[in-house]
């Protein structure tokens, strides 16, 4: 190690202490990034943690009142919260076929197509991705309108009964799942297609020489070699799926009808910014943080076990 | 065990022709090596036999059955790829057994056959490893095992040894030879390494630009190249070529009016241009450059390869190489080169085809009549 010093070696000694740049330098470079992370992530996280033990209505004049674990106790006992947790799980499960299943199938099928046709299909499926979420929400509200929407007009044309896509408590959640997923399909397809075309074609040729059928090649060669991407997208869906649907809940149903479409993120937002219950909101936030943190750790461990990497 | 018959096969990629009307038959149990420069269509031909590449025109038959439209897995061929293409997520045992698995063979039977192949190839201790945990030579062996386990009628090899270091390459070459002697499976082996080609082949095919230049036993191809291309391609250092013109008596006249081989007469019109090909190993050094049968040679660089000396220089404007026994003392200054008439190859200038001298009516008495064939060493250093 050669220490870079402010003064060149051999310079006349002075009274000012020598600063060892080499020890400070890395931190200097890191400082802006660290400052941002600390200021915007860790400080708020700690403050939220602190707030979750207080009762406070976010008004500057009101002083937060320490209530201990009351917020947590109340939240866990609340039927609203239970409903939100169940819905969060439903969102996640409902999204998986749309973010993993269909895109994977599309990528595998179009992977065999050659030339311009393949790009055409991929472009087609990628379009929803580039539509802004709020625009997508409004488009879907029009399409799914119970009285004048195109979809209900088609259903009527086909002799079927009208469906209250956003007003029927049994249907509304799945409508939101569909809209969230519809937006994701293109992105996932793109990632899967990239993973598929990154597979060294000689593996597939070797399997063909071994006598494997198209389906056997998919099952034994292509899927295992795509496993890192499959696991990554599955993990992202589990961790973020419920968050991705927040925009649509907020814009289309506001959690209703009868709280049938709310999820933990929406509940958190309601407590915090509608009813101004900072304590409840932050307590819910801490719970979500811990639970999803644990799930993330589990997913990472699983990924390390299951994914196969080509050298 | 199977034979292959290739009739007038063409392959065109878009507009680039890769194989241009090729006929070849491979006998049951033989070891055919396809040799040629990069891009001449060797891999393409092999992949068409395998079924990995469509055949643009023509026919390929295996055991008399046309296989143009038959899936690769049903042609009875197994292939060893250049990069081995071992499935990275499967263990060695799974890699070797995969063909059996997709053929629906049950686990105990599969394990037995994999174990047998593993034993032949010395893979016994590696069966539970993944390909990433193997050395290059071990991977090569696993790739061989994967090809062998189905007991195919034909082995196809596409430069399987080119990723190995020199020593391992020789070892694997011998191993492949040994396996072929044991199994007697028809093999087609693509390479651009001429040592591999010469040592492995029963029959050697030299390809150039999508066409076959010559087919035959390797020694025959080496000693009797039918074209300048084949002559130039085989042998290291490559054959020397000396432009000559035919005089009125059919003899080859070197620039400067020399007639080094008066006893060789060609049935060609006077003034026809031919190139005389001389292998570096067939040339001998003589100190004086005066005699008519001696070519004046200006040496430039001497390479000592340990077992042989390579002397590079020129005759007039043409660069020439001479291979000499290791103990030779090379005098300084201008030297002379001499080659026995039996060592002379001649190729027409216009198309590079071989021309043979007219059969001699009375063998001329020349000093080293017996040396002509013996001095032809297959030197490949
Ligand atoms: N998929 C392809 N698309 C277009 N052209 C191709 C394709 N594969 C090969 N070619 C062309 O066909 C010709 C023959 O290629 P091939 O791979 O058979 O050569 P090769 O003799 O195996 O060469 P090498 O010794 O470098 O492996 C080359 O000119 C090559 O550019
Ligand atoms: Mg090749």
């Amino acid at each position: 190690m050669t220490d870079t010093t402010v003064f060149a070696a051999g310079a006349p000694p002075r009274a000012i202490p020598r600063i060892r740049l080499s020890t400070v330098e890395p931190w200097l470079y890191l400082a802006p990034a660290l400052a941002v992370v600390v200021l915007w992530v860790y400080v708020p996280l700690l403050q939220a943690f602190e707030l979750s033990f207080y009762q406070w209505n976010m008004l500057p004049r009101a002083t937060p009142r320490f209530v201990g674990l009351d917020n947590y106790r109340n939240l866990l006992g609340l039927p609203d919260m239970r409903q939100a947790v169940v819905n969060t799980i439903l969102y996640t499960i409902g999204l998986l076929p749309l973010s993993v299943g269909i895109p994977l199938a599309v990528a595998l099928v179009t992977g065999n197509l050659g030339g311009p046709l393949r790009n055409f299909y991929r472009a087609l499926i990628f379009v929803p991705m580039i539509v802004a979420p709020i625009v997508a929400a409004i488009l879907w509200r029009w399409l799914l309108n119970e009285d004048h929407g195109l979809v209900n007009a088609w259903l009527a044309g086909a002799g079927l009964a009208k469906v209250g896509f956003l007003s029927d408590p049994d249907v509304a959640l799945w409508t939101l799942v569909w809209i969230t997923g519809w937006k994701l399909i293109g992105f996932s397809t793109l990632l899967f297609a990239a993973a598929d075309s990154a597979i060294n074609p000689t593996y597939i040729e070797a399997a063909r020489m071994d006598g494997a059928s198209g389906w056997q090649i998919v099952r034994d060669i292509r899927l295992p070699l795509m496993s890192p991407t499959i696991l990554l997208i599955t993990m992202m869906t589990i961790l973020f799926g419920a968050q991705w649907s927040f925009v649509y809940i907020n814009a289309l149903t506001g959690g209703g009808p009868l709280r049938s479409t709310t999820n933990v993120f929406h509940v958190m937002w309601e407590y915090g910014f509608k009813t101004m219950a900072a304590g409840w909101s932050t307590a819910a936030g801490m719970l979500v943080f811990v639970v999803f943190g644990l799930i993330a750790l589990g997913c990472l461990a699983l990924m390390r076990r299951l994914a196969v990497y080509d050298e | 065990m199977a034979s292959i018959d290739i009739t007038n096969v063409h392959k065109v990629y878009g507009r680039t022709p890769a194989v241009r009307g090729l006929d070849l038959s491979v006998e049951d149990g033989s070891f055919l090596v396809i040799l040629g420069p990069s891009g001449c269509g060797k891999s393409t031909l092999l992949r068409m036999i395998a079924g990995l590449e469509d055949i643009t025109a023509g026919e390929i038959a295996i055991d008399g059955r046309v296989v143009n439209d038959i899936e690769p897995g049903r042609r009875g061929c197994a292939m060893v790829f250049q990069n081995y293409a071992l499935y990275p997520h499967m263990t060695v045992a799974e890699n070797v057994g995969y063909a059996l698995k997709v053929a629906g063979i049950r686990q105990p039977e599969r394990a037995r056959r994999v174990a047998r192949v593993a034993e032949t190839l010395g893979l016994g201790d590696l069966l539970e490893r993944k390909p990433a945990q193997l050395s290059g030579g071990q991977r090569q062996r696993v790739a061989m095992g994967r090809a062998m386990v189905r007991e195919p009628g034909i082995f196809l090899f596409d430069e399987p040894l080119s990723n190995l270091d020199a020593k391992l390459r020789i070892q694997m070459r011998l191993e492949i030879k040994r396996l072929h002697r044991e199994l007697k499976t028809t093999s087609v082996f693509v390479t651009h390494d001429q040592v591999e080609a010469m040592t492995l082949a029963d029959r050697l095919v030299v390809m150039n630009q999508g066409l076959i230049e010559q087919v035959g036993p390797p020694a025959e191809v080496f000693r009797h190249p039918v074209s300048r291309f084949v002559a130039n391609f085989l042998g290291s250092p490559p054959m020397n070529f000396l432009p000559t013109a035919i005089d009125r008596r059919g003899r080859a006249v070197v620039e400067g009016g020399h007639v080094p081989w008066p006893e060789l007469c060609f049935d060609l019109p006077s003034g026809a241009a031919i190139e005389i090909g001389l292998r570096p190993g067939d040339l001998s050094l003589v100190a004086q450059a005066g005699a008519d049968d001696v070519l004046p040679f200006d040496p430039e660089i001497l390479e000592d390869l340990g077992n042989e000396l390579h002397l590079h220089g020129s005759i007039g404007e043409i660069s020439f190489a001479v291979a000499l026994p290791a103990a030779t003392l090379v005098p300084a200054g201008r030297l002379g080169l001499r080659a026995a008439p039996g060592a002379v190859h001649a190729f027409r200038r216009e198309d590079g085809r071989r021309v043979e001298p007219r059969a001699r009516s009375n063998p001329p008495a020349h000093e080293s009549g017996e040396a002509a064939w013996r001095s032809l060493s297959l030197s490949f250093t």
Side-chain angles (χ1 to χ4, degrees):
Chain A
M1 296 285 146
T2 52
D3 284 351
T4 317
T5 52
V6 182
F7 307 110
R14 299 205 194 152
I16 311 165
R18 293 170 148 218
I19 304 164
R20 284 177 182 277
L21 250 190
S22 60
T23 46
V24 184
E25 216 171 5
W27 295 104
L28 267 174
Y29 295 136
L30 279 174
L34 280 178
V36 168
V37 172
V38 168
L39 211 63
W40 294 99
V41 178
Y42 291 108
V43 170
L45 190 68
L46 288 176
Q47 283 180 337
F49 181 65
E50 191 194 358
L51 258 181
S52 67
F53 299 105
Y54 288 84
Q55 194 178 44
W56 183 41
N57 60 6
M58 294 206 203
L59 293 178
R61 270 165 299 156
T63 26
R65 186 167 62 85
F66 184 79
V67 292
L69 286 171
D70 273 4
N71 289 335
Y72 290 94
R73 215 172 293 130
N74 291 337
L75 266 181
L76 290 175
L78 208 66
D80 264 13
M81 195 62 187
R82 209 167 308 132
Q83 170 89 54
V85 168
V86 170
N87 285 351
T88 306
I89 294 169
L90 290 181
Y91 273 111
T92 307
I93 293 172
L95 271 177
L96 280 173
L98 294 170
S99 69
V100 179
I102 294 174
L104 195 53
V106 171
L108 287 171
V109 171
T110 57
N112 288 336
L113 297 174
L117 210 60
R118 167 158 75 178
N119 293 335
F120 174 73
Y121 281 122
R122 289 192 178 160
L124 209 63
I125 205 145
F126 196 67
V127 166
M129 170 86 201
I130 54 177
V131 177
I134 199 71
V135 176
I138 292 167
L139 281 177
W140 279 105
R141 182 155 63 195
W142 288 345
L143 283 173
L144 298 175
N145 185 291
E146 203 167 347
D147 300 318
H148 314 291
L150 211 53
V151 177
N152 269 317
W154 284 335
L155 286 180
L160 296 168
K162 273 187 182 176
V163 179
F165 286 106
L166 292 168
S167 53
D168 183 339
D170 293 333
V171 178
L173 183 137
W174 302 112
T175 305
L176 293 184
V177 165
W178 162 252
I179 298 172
T180 313
W182 170 83
K183 246 336 238 124
L184 284 176
I185 285 177
F187 180 66
S188 303
T189 307
L190 195 76
L191 289 189
F192 286 135
D196 183 43
S197 55
I199 295 175
N200 186 336
T202 54
Y203 295 142
I204 295 179
E205 287 175 350
R208 285 178 65 197
M209 293 299 300
D210 275 344
S213 65
W215 160 243
Q216 284 168 326
I217 291 175
V218 167
R219 186 193 64 194
D220 298 333
I221 314 290
R222 288 167 79 188
L223 282 179
L225 290 178
M226 288 166 80
S227 64
T229 310
I230 297 172
L231 288 168
L232 177 78
I233 294 184
T234 307
M235 186 170 117
M236 280 176 60
T237 307
I238 292 172
L239 292 179
F240 305 123
Q243 264 182 64
W244 290 329
S245 46
F246 176 85
V247 184
Y248 308 102
I249 302 173
N250 196 25
L252 296 178
T253 63
L258 301 174
R259 309 202 61 75
S260 66
T261 61
T262 191
N263 69 18
V264 287
F265 297 99
H266 192 253
V267 162
M268 236 155 69
W269 176 83
E270 267 187 338
Y271 290 158
F273 301 101
K274 272 175 108 174
T275 57
M276 300 291 170
W280 281 41
S281 178
T282 49
M286 291 325 290
L287 286 176
V288 167
F289 173 73
V290 169
V291 170
F292 278 97
L294 290 176
I295 294 175
L297 286 180
C299 285
L300 282 175
L302 208 65
M303 205 161 152
R304 222 165 294 137
R305 279 254 323 272
L306 294 181
V308 293
Y309 296 94
D310 197 356
E311 311 116 63
Chain B
M1 239 127 297
S3 62
I4 310 171
D5 291 289
I6 299 171
T7 340
N8 196 21
V9 159
H10 289 256
K11 175 71 192 184
V12 182
Y13 289 109
R15 270 199 220 98
T16 353
V19 172
R20 307 180 296 154
L22 194 142
D23 294 290
L24 181 66
S25 53
V26 188
E27 269 171 48
D28 188 3
S30 69
F31 200 113
L32 182 92
V33 174
I34 303 176
L35 181 66
S38 195
C40 70
K42 307 182 294 290
S43 300
T44 306
L45 177 62
L46 196 75
R47 291 165 56 82
M48 284 194 290
I49 298 173
L52 296 172
E53 211 75 70
D54 292 335
I55 300 164
T56 310
E59 246 176 30
I60 293 182
I62 293 176
D63 267 342
R65 184 177 63 135
V66 175
V67 294
N68 285 29
D69 298 319
I70 293 180
E71 273 293 296
R74 302 188 179 283
R75 293 188 181 195
C77 305
M79 186 148 167
V80 178
F81 292 84
Q82 179 171 5
N83 62 358
Y84 318 134
L86 300 178
Y87 311 124
H89 54 293
M90 297 186 194
T91 62
V92 168
E94 287 166 337
N95 261 288
V96 174
Y98 186 64
L100 304 178
K101 183 177 164 198
V102 296
I105 292 170
R106 302 235 161 267
Q107 174 56 31
E109 163 77 1
R110 218 152 74 203
R112 231 166 24 82
R113 286 175 65 175
V114 169
R116 200 167 59 210
V117 167
E119 195 185 344
T120 320
L121 291 168
L123 292 171
D125 304 334
L126 308 174
L127 285 177
E128 292 316 311
R129 295 217 200 151
K130 293 274 176 70
Q133 300 162 322
L134 300 176
S135 72
Q138 290 166 335
R139 281 179 213 184
Q140 167 66 49
R141 243 177 268 260
V142 176
M144 295 277 306
R146 190 170 64 177
M148 281 164 57
V149 78
R150 279 194 306 156
E151 296 167 5
I154 299 167
F155 282 139
L156 303 172
F157 299 89
D158 193 354
E159 308 199 22
L161 306 182
S162 58
N163 286 351
L164 302 178
D165 66 50
K167 214 166 163 185
L168 206 51
R169 197 182 293 192
I170 296 173
Q171 194 186 328
M172 285 311 297
R173 197 171 82 204
L174 291 171
E175 194 141 334
I176 290 175
K177 189 90 190 155
R178 178 176 65 79
L179 282 172
H180 181 251
R181 196 176 304 156
E182 272 169 31
L183 305 171
K184 302 214 167 42
T185 307
T186 312
S187 304
V188 181
F189 189 105
V190 163
T191 181
H192 55 225
D193 180 316
Q194 39 174 316
V195 187
E196 263 166 40
M198 295 295 293
T199 51
L200 284 172
D202 296 339
R203 285 215 311 156
L204 179 61
V205 174
V206 180
M207 276 183 76
N208 183 26
Q209 298 190 347
L211 288 171
I212 292 182
E213 287 274 334
Q214 187 169 5
V215 191
E220 155 94 13
V221 175
F222 186 86
R223 298 200 171 112
H224 235 73
V226 298
S227 67
R228 187 188 192 280
F229 176 85
V230 176
N232 188 31
F233 195 74
L234 280 178
S236 168
M239 190 183 270
N240 302 296
F241 292 97
L242 194 64
T244 60
I246 298 294
D247 70 2
R248 250 178 296 130
R249 290 161 62 191
R251 301 174 313 175
V253 184
V254 183
E255 202 182 73
H258 274 334
V259 182
W261 303 280
E263 55 275 74
L264 299 181
C265 291
F266 295 90
D267 281 324
L268 290 170
S270 165
I274 65 169
E275 281 185 287
I276 296 293
L278 297 166
R279 294 235 179 255
D282 295 340
L283 293 161
S284 51
L285 275 189
V286 285
Q288 86 289 4
D292 207 30
D293 65 339
V294 172
L295 302 162
F297 176 65
D298 296 307
E300 278 158 28
I301 293 168
L302 181 68
E303 294 175 327
D304 188 348
L305 280 81
N307 61 344
E308 235 181 30
L309 298 179
H310 290 173
L311 186 57
H312 298 270
S314 56
I315 291 179
E317 299 284 276
I318 298 127
S319 44
F320 245 65
V322 189
L324 301 163
T328 318
L329 278 174
V330 181
R334 176 171 265 212
L335 301 166
L337 294 179
R338 183 184 277 147
V344 169
H345 305 266
F347 305 97
R348 280 204 301 249
R349 190 60 177 279
E350 69 264 25
D351 59 1
R353 292 285 113 192
R354 184 186 187 88
V355 279
E356 293 290 347
R358 190 187 309 153
R360 274 166 267 152
S361 43
N362 52 338
H366 63 86
E367 55 287 23
S368 59
E370 35 80 42
W373 279 95
R374 191 186 299 165
S375 66
L376 289 170
S377 74
L378 293 179
S379 152
F380 282 101
T381 21

